[in-house]
Amino acid sequence: MNRRQFLTSVGASAAGMAVARVPPRTGVPRAAGSGLPAAPPRKHWAWLRGEFTTADAWQRKLATIKAAGIEAVLYTANPDFYHAHAAAAERAGLELHAWMFTMMRGENAAAHPDWYAVSRDGVSTAVKPPYVDYYKFMCPSREDVRGYLAGLVREVAQTDGLAGVHLDYIRYPDVILPVALWPKYNLVQDKEYPSFDFCYCDVCCARFARESGVDPRKMPDPTADVAWRQFRYDRISEVVSLLADVAHAHGKLITAAVFPTPAIARALVRQDWTTWPLDAVLPMTYHAFYKQDVAWIERAVREGVRGLGARRPLYSGLYTPDLPPADLERAVGYAIAGGANGISIFEANGLTPDQWSALASALAARTAR
Ligand SMILES: [Zn+2]
């Protein structure tokens, strides 16, 4: 792949909406001798953006993160960076995970416009993306797209010292945006509207027609068709399974940033994440995006934990621009009370000194418990 294009394509982040060599592990570890599932270990994470042009700057940032009580860093960079600097993270006692954009990648739009998702009104994201110009989502049904993504995961997964691969934008475009964003785009999304509803490309429609006997483009109301909805959950889930196999084959963990609850994730972006074969999920429990108070984080986490059925750990993503220090401490408490195995902050380059200190205090209190 073109690494410069990769760097360009990661300018916007979903998790901001957007190291030890760890053996692959799926599901919940077993307590020695008991035969019963052991509780997954408490762990705290941070999404990290920004360029680190010197090894010294990178090490200083890692030290700040580690000092706050965080153990895993999700960082987006080109593969060369991971090769050169994963060892420093390992020495700092941090897991480094390669944070990658998955379905939303514009770098193939010119060469392979047919790889891109098509809306119900027939418009490709390669030509006219919904909402913003970088919203170029690929179609999860296409073998070429799957092969391309598997190649990206394979490339970074060969890095010594890298702990895992972290999938972001592993979904369709938002058929409905989080409610707090409606005014920003001057929209009222009280139902699924055609220009935000994907994917109606020839490959998707032909496969669904083979399986069900009907072309979604000929349905009077495709938004009401349960099988068509499930078909799209399954296409994203297949991509997750494929990429999980690639990561695990190279001894890496695989995780994903997902929408905050199983119900919201299915409704807004067609993520059926409780079924995904990941080592952990990191729901973006960003309360203000849904016009909720901080206490909602506990309810959202509880729904996710219940949906996963203790099969794998859940770490609650916290959107720090909406969490002044006192609220950040409360948010950590709500996440743990809801059953999260830890938290993940978005993002580690954006915290004020007061937020760092509140975070360190909240995490120390939870670890000492
Ligand atoms: Zn398609």
Side-chain angles (χ1 to χ4, degrees):
M1 80 177 279
N2 180 323
R3 287 167 183 162
R4 191 166 302 281
Q5 286 175 337
F6 176 83
L7 282 173
T8 305
S9 77
V10 298
S13 150
M17 147 310 221
V19 185
R21 191 172 180 86
V22 183
R25 135 179 98 77
T26 52
V28 176
R30 305 229 154 227
S34 72
L36 296 170
R42 181 73 46 88
K43 184 155 77 179
H44 303 298
W45 304 63
W47 284 284
L48 174 66
R49 293 186 297 175
E51 281 195 52
F52 298 91
T53 49
T54 67
D56 194 44
W58 172 242
Q59 282 161 12
R60 277 201 311 275
K61 177 56 69 178
L62 294 177
T64 304
I65 292 171
K66 175 77 177 169
I70 285 164
E71 290 121 331
V73 174
L74 308 149
Y75 181 59
T76 187
N78 62 58
D80 289 343
F81 183 94
Y82 299 130
H83 283 295
H85 298 291
E90 194 169 22
R91 282 196 300 276
L94 288 164
E95 290 182 12
L96 180 65
H97 296 252
W99 170 14
M100 70 173 264
F101 287 19
T102 315
M103 302 318 300
M104 193 199 79
R105 308 183 62 97
E107 70 264 28
N108 300 306
H112 302 289
D114 54 308
W115 289 10
Y116 283 76
V118 173
S119 68
R120 187 168 13 125
D121 50 12
V123 177
S124 167
T125 67
V127 178
K128 187 173 180 295
Y131 307 114
V132 283
D133 61 5
Y134 59 82
Y135 241 45
K136 294 180 178 176
F137 278 69
M138 298 190 291
C139 166
S141 294
R142 295 186 177 244
E143 288 305 320
D144 286 344
V145 169
R146 294 175 178 203
Y148 178 76
L149 292 172
L152 295 183
V153 171
R154 194 173 299 114
E155 184 176 15
V156 294
Q158 290 170 359
T159 309
D160 284 340
L162 192 81
V165 177
H166 180 65
L167 307 177
D168 199 352
Y169 284 104
I170 177 67
R171 61 179 181 84
Y172 288 85
D174 319 54
V175 63
I176 294 172
L177 287 171
V179 63
L181 299 181
W182 294 2
K184 179 177 174 184
Y185 297 99
N186 197 24
L187 291 168
V188 175
Q189 293 183 313
D190 52 347
K191 61 179 184 178
E192 297 185 5
Y193 288 94
S195 51
F196 307 110
D197 185 15
F198 294 86
C199 176
Y200 291 76
C201 80
D202 291 343
V203 169
C204 287
C205 291
R207 179 167 169 184
F208 185 75
R210 270 199 311 279
E211 294 175 4
S212 72
V214 55
D215 185 325
R217 292 171 294 201
K218 301 200 169 103
M219 292 176 185
D221 180 12
T223 71
D225 193 284
V226 174
W228 174 230
R229 189 177 299 272
Q230 183 66 44
F231 176 90
R232 289 174 289 174
Y233 300 159
D234 292 345
R235 298 294 77 74
I236 293 291
S237 298
E238 281 177 356
V239 173
V240 173
S241 294
L242 167 70
L243 301 183
D245 285 347
V246 174
H248 289 156
H250 290 85
K252 305 302 184 193
L253 300 173
I254 187 161
T255 59
V258 297
F259 270 47
T261 70
I264 292 173
R266 284 191 292 264
L268 270 54
V269 293
R270 314 204 192 284
Q271 287 176 325
D272 194 12
W273 55 257
T274 59
T275 68
W276 293 353
L278 299 170
D279 297 295
V281 288
L282 286 78
M284 297 178 277
T285 44
Y286 299 167
H287 60 288
F289 284 66
Y290 304 91
K291 293 189 172 178
Q292 298 286 343
D293 58 17
V294 182
W296 173 84
I297 291 170
E298 179 175 340
R299 301 196 297 277
V301 165
R302 202 176 294 288
E303 284 181 42
V305 169
R306 194 183 305 125
L308 289 169
R311 289 190 300 274
R312 53 188 61 91
L314 177 152
Y315 303 96
S316 173
L318 304 179
Y319 189 72
T320 57
D322 290 328
L323 293 166
D327 283 348
L328 182 53
E329 289 202 57
R330 293 171 60 224
V332 171
Y334 284 128
I336 301 299
N341 299 92
I343 56 93
S344 185
I345 55 161
F346 183 88
E347 50 94 14
N349 248 6
L351 269 67
T352 64
D354 285 349
Q355 282 178 306
W356 276 118
S357 125
L359 180 69
S361 149
L363 297 187
R366 299 291 154 190
T367 304
R369 211 172 43 148

